[in-house]
Amino acid sequence: MNKVFIAVLLATALAAIEGTIVATAIPSITADLSGVELISWIYSAYLLSAAIATIIFGKLADLFGRKKMIIIGISIFVVGSLLSGLAQSMIMLIVFRAIQGIGAGSILPITLTMVSEIFNTEKARAKGQGYIAMVWGVSGVIGPLIGGFLVDQLSWHYIFLLNVPFGLGSLLMIAKYYKESVTITKHKIDFLGAGLFVITTVALLLSIIEGSNTGIWNAPLQIICYIVVVIGGLLFIRTEKRASEPIIPLSLFKNKRLNVVNGLTFVIMSIVISVSVYIPIYGQSVIGHNATKAGLMIAPLSVMWTVSAIAIGSLVGKIANKTIIQIGTSFLVAGTAMLAFLQQDSSSIYVSISTALIGLGMGLIAPLLIITVQAAAKKDEMGISIGLNSFTNTFSQSVGAAMFGVIFNFITAKALRDLDKGEVQLNGALDRSIFSDADIATIKGIITDGSVAVYIGALVLAVIAFILAAMLQKKKPIQ
């Protein structure tokens, strides 16, 4: 296998696994550093900076070359990981996680672009993207396992420090083996546009994250964020229209094919978030599993995602890409429909089959969306086109988590409060000296109703994905 591609897979693995490995360390981190009220920002700081970096680095890669920017991005990720592992307070960890997020956000769009350069034909690119998707799928399974092992045997610091040697290995391989031909020209960087994009995006994601964490959407901070988003967005559009080399060319939004792909990306990644967040809650609170068993209920999603992503290479060329994507969205509809019919006595097998169908669909869809972006984008806008898609991927996770959180809380919050017997933990740990068997059955019913409401929403999104897939324009494979 191409040595550069191995380095790309390694860099992708580092960014992918970071999204799941941290979850197992949260109890240890809070016990060591205190600051329980800041827990959500361990995730949010990473997510915010990663979302912004996907756009910025995608554009800079178009201007200054993939090699230079991927080396900078991996370096930032390694430094952020080292600092996170050495953090001595919650504030320090949050700041260092933001640095780590900048590096991770730069890795995703550039590695996806590099795959299009490493492989010459569409079929080969599909195989390459399949391996990239496989890395994400496998990371979803082994991330929590590695994290749990490191926390139990060593300490939470090592979940971050582990990235350092592997990051340096990827860095050295790319520096040595990746050969890129870059035409040296004078560029005018759109600093004003980049600044406005950062400010507007931070305000928007901050309002979404705070609203989903607190359930309050009209607090003074929220209102200020809304104002900044509106004013910043208008100024950003005006700036990009006038810039000679805009950070995000507005012409991208006139490309119907790219718009459909980004719409699909937004919808399907929101569905994945609904599974990742609420299946473990259902598993613990309703079925009665411990945290490990509840987490394994979503393992079929990652496994089938991996299997179908690997199979993509053999399907491309035999079946039209549009048809494969439509088949994938059909599996999403089937899986979310099953989850929308969850019952209080549904079995783990039923849930696992549902998540497996969703994973099967994701493995068929995700690699081909990137192939479609590559086919639809102009060569000199490849990096920013993939960067915009990567931003949509990350942004959808924030919006999806907030949207499903509102749905779940709307159904469950008041009903649980009306029990008037104390706080109900969503991990199934209920004090039987306070809650009777009848109360516990009622609580399980309420949480089931909340989960069903979430998956009815996910089913709606899956149907939208199916419609968007039908809107994709067919295009002859690029040889």
Side-chain angles (χ1 to χ4, degrees):
M1 187 179 289
N2 187 299
K3 292 178 181 178
V4 176
F5 187 55
I6 293 174
V8 166
L9 291 178
L10 181 56
T12 302
L14 293 174
I17 206 169
E18 200 58 39
T20 57
I21 196 173
V22 174
T24 54
I26 292 299
S28 297
I29 291 173
T30 53
D32 191 14
L33 301 182
S34 300
V36 174
E37 70 281 0
L38 297 174
I39 285 177
S40 64
W41 282 102
I42 296 176
Y43 299 100
S44 300
Y46 182 87
L47 192 66
L48 272 169
S49 57
I52 292 168
T54 56
I55 290 289
I56 303 297
F57 275 82
K59 179 62 178 181
L60 292 177
D62 284 336
L63 296 179
F64 301 108
R66 324 283 182 225
K67 183 173 183 176
K68 183 181 295 184
M69 299 318 300
I70 190 67
I71 288 175
I72 292 174
I74 295 175
S75 299
I76 293 173
F77 182 80
V78 169
V79 170
S81 297
L82 178 61
L83 293 174
S84 294
L86 299 176
Q88 299 299 308
S89 71
M90 190 68 85
I91 296 297
M92 289 175 66
L93 179 59
I94 290 169
V95 172
F96 297 151
R97 281 281 286 170
I99 295 172
Q100 193 184 30
I102 293 173
S106 69
I107 289 171
L108 179 58
I110 299 177
T111 52
L112 291 174
T113 306
M114 288 171 66
V115 170
S116 67
E117 297 177 345
I118 294 171
F119 300 103
N120 297 323
T121 66
E122 188 175 73
K123 189 175 184 68
R125 290 171 187 167
K127 287 184 178 180
Q129 298 298 346
Y131 280 113
I132 294 287
M134 179 191 72
V135 167
W136 283 92
V138 172
S139 297
V141 176
I142 68 172
L145 300 178
I146 294 175
F149 175 81
L150 290 175
V151 170
D152 290 339
Q153 301 300 320
L154 298 170
S155 80
W156 64 265
H157 299 275
Y158 286 90
I159 67 173
F160 300 112
L161 297 177
L162 180 68
N163 293 323
V164 175
F166 290 104
L168 290 174
S170 175
L171 191 68
L172 292 173
M173 289 179 70
I174 290 175
K176 183 176 181 179
Y177 297 112
Y178 182 36
K179 308 299 181 184
E180 182 186 28
S181 177
V182 180
T183 303
I184 305 299
T185 57
K186 187 176 182 179
H187 296 288
K188 186 175 181 180
I189 301 177
D190 180 20
F191 289 109
L192 179 57
L196 288 169
F197 173 77
V198 170
I199 292 170
T200 304
T201 303
V202 168
L204 179 57
L205 289 176
L206 182 61
S207 66
I208 292 171
I209 291 167
E210 279 296 297
S212 61
N213 286 342
T214 64
I216 300 172
W217 297 90
N218 59 351
L221 176 61
Q222 304 289 93
I223 294 172
I224 292 172
C225 286
Y226 301 149
I227 294 172
V228 171
V229 169
V230 173
I231 296 175
L234 292 174
L235 290 175
F236 175 74
I237 293 172
R238 182 182 178 186
T239 300
E240 297 307 272
K241 285 181 177 179
R242 297 180 175 183
S244 57
E245 293 190 59
I247 196 74
I248 303 179
L250 298 182
S251 59
L252 292 181
F253 298 99
K254 296 179 181 179
N255 187 322
K256 181 181 177 181
R257 193 172 174 83
L258 287 179
N259 288 338
V260 172
V261 171
N262 288 332
L264 261 171
T265 300
F266 184 92
V267 170
I268 65 174
M269 293 310 300
S270 295
I271 292 172
V272 171
I273 281 296
S274 74
V275 175
S276 301
V277 174
Y278 291 97
I279 288 300
I281 290 175
Y282 176 85
Q284 289 183 264
S285 300
V286 179
I287 296 180
H289 287 327
N290 59 28
T292 301
K293 287 185 178 180
L296 288 175
M297 290 172 69
I298 62 175
L301 182 147
S302 298
V303 172
M304 294 310 297
W305 188 330
T306 302
V307 170
S308 57
I310 293 174
I312 278 291
S314 61
L315 294 176
V316 170
K318 298 177 182 177
I319 304 175
N321 291 358
K322 177 179 177 178
T323 302
I324 297 173
I325 293 174
Q326 285 181 302
I327 293 171
T329 57
S330 298
F331 283 121
L332 294 186
V333 171
T336 53
M338 287 183 67
L339 292 176
F341 284 95
L342 277 176
Q343 303 290 326
Q344 192 170 327
D345 58 353
S346 295
S347 67
S348 297
I349 295 176
Y350 180 88
V351 177
S352 295
I353 292 173
S354 306
T355 58
L357 287 172
I358 293 172
L360 185 59
M362 287 299 301
L364 293 175
I365 298 167
L368 290 183
L369 290 186
I370 296 299
I371 295 292
T372 306
V373 170
Q374 292 169 344
K378 297 177 182 178
K379 187 174 181 180
D380 61 346
E381 293 180 346
M382 183 74 73
I384 186 57
S385 297
I386 292 179
L388 182 59
N389 183 260
S390 300
F391 171 79
T392 304
N393 184 322
T394 305
F395 181 70
S396 67
Q397 296 177 49
S398 293
V399 176
M403 175 180 66
F404 290 121
V406 169
I407 293 172
F408 185 81
N409 291 332
F410 178 78
I411 299 296
T412 63
K414 185 178 184 301
L416 292 175
R417 283 197 304 268
D418 287 345
L419 287 174
D420 197 25
K421 291 196 174 182
E423 184 179 357
V424 175
Q425 301 292 332
L426 293 180
N427 61 2
L430 299 174
D431 188 342
R432 288 188 175 269
S433 66
I434 299 176
F435 298 99
S436 66
D437 289 342
D439 290 334
I440 292 174
T442 300
I443 291 168
K444 289 183 176 181
I446 292 169
I447 294 174
T448 299
D449 290 342
S451 301
V452 167
V454 165
Y455 291 113
I456 289 174
L459 175 58
V460 171
L461 292 182
V463 172
I464 293 173
F466 183 82
I467 294 171
L468 287 172
M471 293 170 61
L472 277 172
Q473 299 170 347
K474 290 186 178 181
K475 189 168 183 176
K476 294 180 179 180
I478 299 173
Q479 300 298 333

